[in-house]
Amino acid sequence: MARGSTSARPTSRDVAQAAGVSQAAVSLVLGDKWRGRVSETTAERVREAARRLDYRPNLAARNLRLGRTRTVLLVVPALTTEFFAGVYTGAARVAADHGFGVVLYPSPEGIGPARDPFASARAALDGVLASSMAADALTAIRGDQLPLVMLDSDPHGSLGAATVNLDIADGTRQVADHLLALGHRHFLHVAADIPSWTFDVRARELATRLRAVPGTTLRTAGTPMTIEGALAAAETALDTPGPRPTAVVCDDDKLAAGVYKALRRRGLRVPDDVSVTGVDDIALATALDPELTTIRLDAERFGEHGMHALLAVLDGRTPDQGDIPVELVVRGSTAAPSPF
């Protein structure tokens, strides 16, 4: 039924009629209590009818019944990275499908946690989804006292919380094996100097894989997560005595952009003289010339999995296990090393 701007807001009865089900079924589906009670097909039909009618439940009444605010907090290190924008998009999509709202809480790099956006986080939130790179912000808002799911975090040491991880260890092995197969033996790792489990995993896996191949060398240059920082770190490493690296492995696509600049300042070509790889596969990866070989991380899927895990925790269920696969995307920035 078409509704004009003066029509009353749709009700659960309208959704039930549109989907051809009972109001009880609508309540089960939109309250995420349908599993084992209605079919997946019926649940999707109800969700589609609700979207088509732009149905919004009476959250005030529901919250009185459930004792919940239906609000979760997503804690990220900064809003300046395309990756975390994708994480938010995926998390918010799943949250909306389950009648939850998401508040985004940035903890800007270099200046510590932002001010608590709530007078009492425990009173205003049902749960928290947090990146390990912003874990310090949790204590500032007492988020570690709420139902919590950690992203990119050590499964054995994340405040006792459930964890959702990308398989970054496998991604690092894919990069190393790709470069080794091309014939590279002298490596530079331009590593983010952020104390974080995910960056520790990358460094450890790269070193372990390269040690297994005789004749390899590996140097590490730490840098802030900026193009300028990577430029300076790469210039210093290139000026250091010893075998010149024929391959540079970067912890992030932005860092790879800084490495490109450092190489060109020294008259070196990518990939003719030096191959370069990144991580994330953000838009920058295909804006670089040549386009960047990188590990593709599906940020939206990551956010979706994180939110599903948090909803499971809130519902008293154990979240699904297993890391999210990642993919090496080979482009023009890697090639066999040329003889000096």
Side-chain angles (χ1 to χ4, degrees), residues 12 14-31 34 38-55 97:
S12 61
D14 297 325
V15 176
Q17 289 177 342
V21 300
S22 67
Q23 279 185 268
V26 171
S27 179
L28 287 171
V29 172
L30 299 185
W34 59 272
V38 302
S39 69
E40 173 68 47
T41 300
T42 298
E44 181 53 36
R45 196 162 69 242
V46 170
R47 288 192 289 263
E48 174 57 30
R51 285 192 291 266
R52 190 169 65 251
L53 294 173
D54 196 26
Y55 170 73
D97 284 344

Side-chain angles (χ1 to χ4, degrees), residues 1 19 40 44 55 64 74 91 93 112 128 156 181 200 217 240 275:
M1 179 177 66
E40 173 68 47
E44 181 53 36
Y55 170 73
L64 287 175
L74 173 61
R93 181 186 302 123
V128 178
H156 305 294
D200 290 344
T217 63
T240 300
S275 290

Side-chain angles (χ1 to χ4, degrees), residues 80-126:
T80 55
T81 64
E82 181 181 327
F83 178 78
F84 285 109
V87 172
Y88 170 79
T89 299
R93 181 186 302 123
V94 171
D97 284 344
H98 293 81
F100 277 76
V102 178
V103 176
L104 189 60
Y105 178 85
S107 176
E109 296 166 289
I111 61 173
R115 293 184 61 184
D116 186 349
F118 305 100
S120 171
R122 289 183 60 82
L125 300 168
D126 287 324

Side-chain angles (χ1 to χ4, degrees), residues 67-71 118-126 141-142 146:
R68 288 182 173 180
T69 65
R70 309 291 289 188
T71 303
F118 305 100
S120 171
R122 289 183 60 82
L125 300 168
D126 287 324
I141 60 171
R142 291 178 292 174
L146 288 160

Side-chain angles (χ1 to χ4, degrees), residues 216-230:
T216 59
T217 63
L218 173 63
R219 281 185 278 165
T220 299
T223 172
M225 190 70 85
T226 63
I227 293 174
E228 295 75 15

